[in-house]
Amino acid sequence: MAQQERAKRTRQVILEAAGIVFDECGYEAATISQILARAEVTRGALYFHFSSKEDLARGVLDMAVTTDGVLPQQFKLQELADTSLLLAHRMPREPLLRAALRLSVDQRARKLFGTKWPEWITVGAELLTEAKARGELLSHVDPYETSRFLVGAWTGVQLIAEEVPHTRGDALVHEISLMYQMLLPNIAVPAVLARLDVAPDRPLRLFEAVRPDEGGEGDPAGA
Amino acid sequence: MAQQERAKRTRQVILEAAGIVFDECGYEAATISQILARAEVTRGALYFHFSSKEDLARGVLDMAVTTDGVLPQQFKLQELADTSLLLAHRMPREPLLRAALRLSVDQRARKLFGTKWPEWITVGAELLTEAKARGELLSHVDPYETSRFLVGAWTGVQLIAEEVPHTRGDALVHEISLMYQMLLPNIAVPAVLARLDVAPDRPLRLFEAVRPDEGGEGDPAGA
């Protein structure tokens, strides 16, 4: 049992190292040796868990569809916004998530591994379908189309936030907050709209509620 | 004069060939030889216009911020929507535009050449500032923030439309039309909103008005 636990931790360490290297160098340029050096594990340990660089990339992508930190809420629309905001909060802090996005955006890596966009669209469409059944949505809203747009907009906003200089430290979460402020009035019925919280500091508050030990960490990595 | 005209045409032919090769292979893998073969020009002609592959990439990027086909309209918001819709219409048809977007999204190429996103944001922010001065915008709308969001959302929607299967032939222009349908109610004052046209077939109608000779072309390349 302790051995299983250790193997699981090693696997996670290797994936995180792969995330850092893919994020810094891109998939093509990344080498197993760099990942070994970063993970500080033996070549044998790495090949016990992953058979190749391709396999590592798939492992990184599999970690990326995550709703960690999202708690059940009165409104499904709040859970949807929380999912987006939490990811925006985590992305500058977690190389694994950045690497997964970078693999999705890279045309060559995308051909090899596909992307997680269809899974993200499904996550959003399911929340919106439930929101619709509960009467939270304006009648014209199509859950699937709306989710596909949200996933696309989120991805593009992230790319631009990386590139275009911002005065704010935590640019991405502010941009995603703004995105919801712009979109929700045309998605939510007014009574629900008035009670949704899409403030940029919401993810930090959610994380503090779930992981009190990590809430007090210093400056965000992306600052 | 005829010679100047010929040189200009040759330059354009080379840029379009470079666009096709960058679009198909990505910047890293593309070679000058492939571009020569595609352009059907001599090595001398290519080096007369462009000193290197880097120089070609810069030339491709410079062609990409284009408002071709946008006509003056009663509302500046209409011109903004037209700019986005026309680009969505042209992207599946013009490898040069796809190559420019691909260069912007590619993290390594981006480090070398930067992106045209800041220029696009400026184009949008200027139109929105004028729209605001004319009373077309709801009072809370910030032209720069809104433009930055539109450029990000446009880029991400394009990436997803490439990847996620659609039943429609001309997916991108439908997605961008949908994006404006979702956003404009929270941007435009009602009297203007009611008179804006963001239908997916609007760019085709605009192009037919500007270039009647090209209006009748067959199926879109992206179909």
Side-chain angles (χ1 to χ4, degrees), chain A residues 54-171:
Chain A
E54 289 76 12
D55 203 22
L56 279 160
R58 285 196 193 90
V60 166
L61 279 167
D62 285 341
M63 301 291 288
V65 182
T66 162
T67 53
D68 267 16
V70 180
L71 300 171
Q73 301 290 333
Q74 185 185 1
F75 300 117
K76 285 290 155 185
L77 274 180
Q78 185 67 60
E79 292 177 25
L80 178 73
D82 286 352
T83 306
S84 296
L85 287 164
L86 281 164
L87 199 67
H89 173 84
R90 291 173 59 191
M91 181 88 38
R93 293 165 174 77
E94 299 183 27
L96 202 76
L97 295 178
R98 283 203 303 280
L101 191 117
R102 187 163 173 183
L103 286 168
S104 297
V105 165
D106 181 304
Q107 213 154 340
R108 214 173 322 170
R110 206 198 299 172
K111 271 182 199 149
L112 286 170
F113 313 116
T115 77
K116 293 292 160 184
W117 289 326
E119 284 177 44
W120 275 119
I121 294 171
T122 301
V123 167
E126 283 174 1
L127 285 168
L128 283 161
T129 301
E130 221 178 314
K132 185 155 198 157
R134 295 178 178 204
E136 296 175 23
L137 306 192
L138 296 168
S139 62
H140 68 273
V141 177
D142 177 285
Y144 185 79
E145 273 186 348
T146 304
S147 180
R148 192 175 55 210
F149 174 68
L150 285 170
V151 171
W154 196 103
T155 304
V157 164
Q158 197 277 339
L159 282 169
I160 304 275
E162 256 180 21
E163 194 57 29
V164 178
H166 285 266
T167 45
R168 284 186 293 246
D170 220 354

Side-chain angles (χ1 to χ4, degrees), chain B residues 15-81:
Chain B
L15 279 178
E16 278 171 15
I20 292 170
V21 175
F22 289 151
D23 180 41
E24 282 176 3
C25 313
Y27 174 74
E28 289 291 321
T31 66
I32 296 271
S33 301
Q34 284 172 295
I35 294 167
L36 283 172
R38 180 71 72 152
E40 299 181 337
V41 301
T42 63
R43 194 167 286 266
L46 188 144
Y47 280 105
F48 174 76
H49 290 282
F50 301 96
S51 63
S52 61
K53 191 168 84 167
E54 289 75 13
D55 204 20
L56 279 161
R58 284 196 194 89
V60 165
L61 279 167
D62 284 341
M63 302 290 288
V65 182
T66 162
T67 53
D68 266 17
V70 180
L71 301 171
Q73 302 290 333
Q74 186 185 0
F75 300 116
K76 285 290 156 186
L77 273 180
Q78 184 68 59
E79 292 177 27
L80 178 73

Side-chain angles (χ1 to χ4, degrees), chain B residues 116-129 144 147 151:
Chain B
K116 292 293 159 183
W117 289 327
E119 284 178 44
W120 275 119
I121 294 171
T122 302
V123 167
E126 283 174 1
L127 285 168
L128 283 162
T129 301
Y144 185 80
S147 179
V151 171

Side-chain angles (χ1 to χ4, degrees), chain B residues 45-222:
Chain B
L46 188 144
Y47 280 105
F48 174 76
H49 290 282
F50 301 96
S51 63
S52 61
K53 191 168 84 167
E54 289 75 13
D55 204 20
L56 279 161
R58 284 196 194 89
V60 165
L61 279 167
D62 284 341
M63 302 290 288
V65 182
T66 162
T67 53
D68 266 17
V70 180
L71 301 171
Q73 302 290 333
Q74 186 185 0
F75 300 116
K76 285 290 156 186
L77 273 180
Q78 184 68 59
E79 292 177 27
L80 178 73
D82 287 352
T83 305
S84 295
L85 287 165
L86 281 164
L87 198 68
H89 172 85
R90 290 173 61 192
M91 180 88 40
R93 293 165 174 78
E94 300 184 27
L96 201 74
L97 294 178
R98 282 203 303 279
L101 191 115
R102 187 162 174 183
L103 286 168
S104 298
V105 165
D106 182 303
Q107 213 154 340
R108 213 171 325 169
R110 206 197 299 172
K111 270 181 202 152
L112 286 169
F113 312 117
T115 77
K116 292 293 159 183
W117 289 327
E119 284 178 44
W120 275 119
I121 294 171
T122 302
V123 167
E126 283 174 1
L127 285 168
L128 283 162
T129 301
E130 221 178 314
K132 184 153 200 158
R134 294 178 180 205
E136 297 175 24
L137 306 192
L138 296 168
S139 63
H140 68 274
V141 177
D142 177 285
Y144 185 80
E145 272 187 348
T146 305
S147 179
R148 192 175 56 209
F149 174 67
L150 285 170
V151 171
W154 196 105
T155 304
V157 163
Q158 196 277 339
L159 282 170
I160 303 274
E162 255 181 20
E163 194 57 32
V164 177
H166 285 268
T167 47
R168 285 187 293 247
D170 220 354
L172 182 57
V173 79
H174 276 90
E175 294 296 298
I176 299 300
S177 165
L178 195 68
M179 172 174 111
Y180 274 93
Q181 288 170 47
M182 285 202 235
L183 286 168
L184 283 175
N186 202 17
I187 294 176
V189 297
V192 172
L193 180 64
R195 296 170 76 181
L196 295 174
D197 173 10
V198 296
D201 66 345
R202 175 156 178 94
L204 198 59
R205 282 183 273 122
L206 281 172
F207 263 118
E208 276 166 1
V210 182
R211 304 181 182 173
D213 52 323
E214 289 180 30
E217 68 178 344
D219 269 353

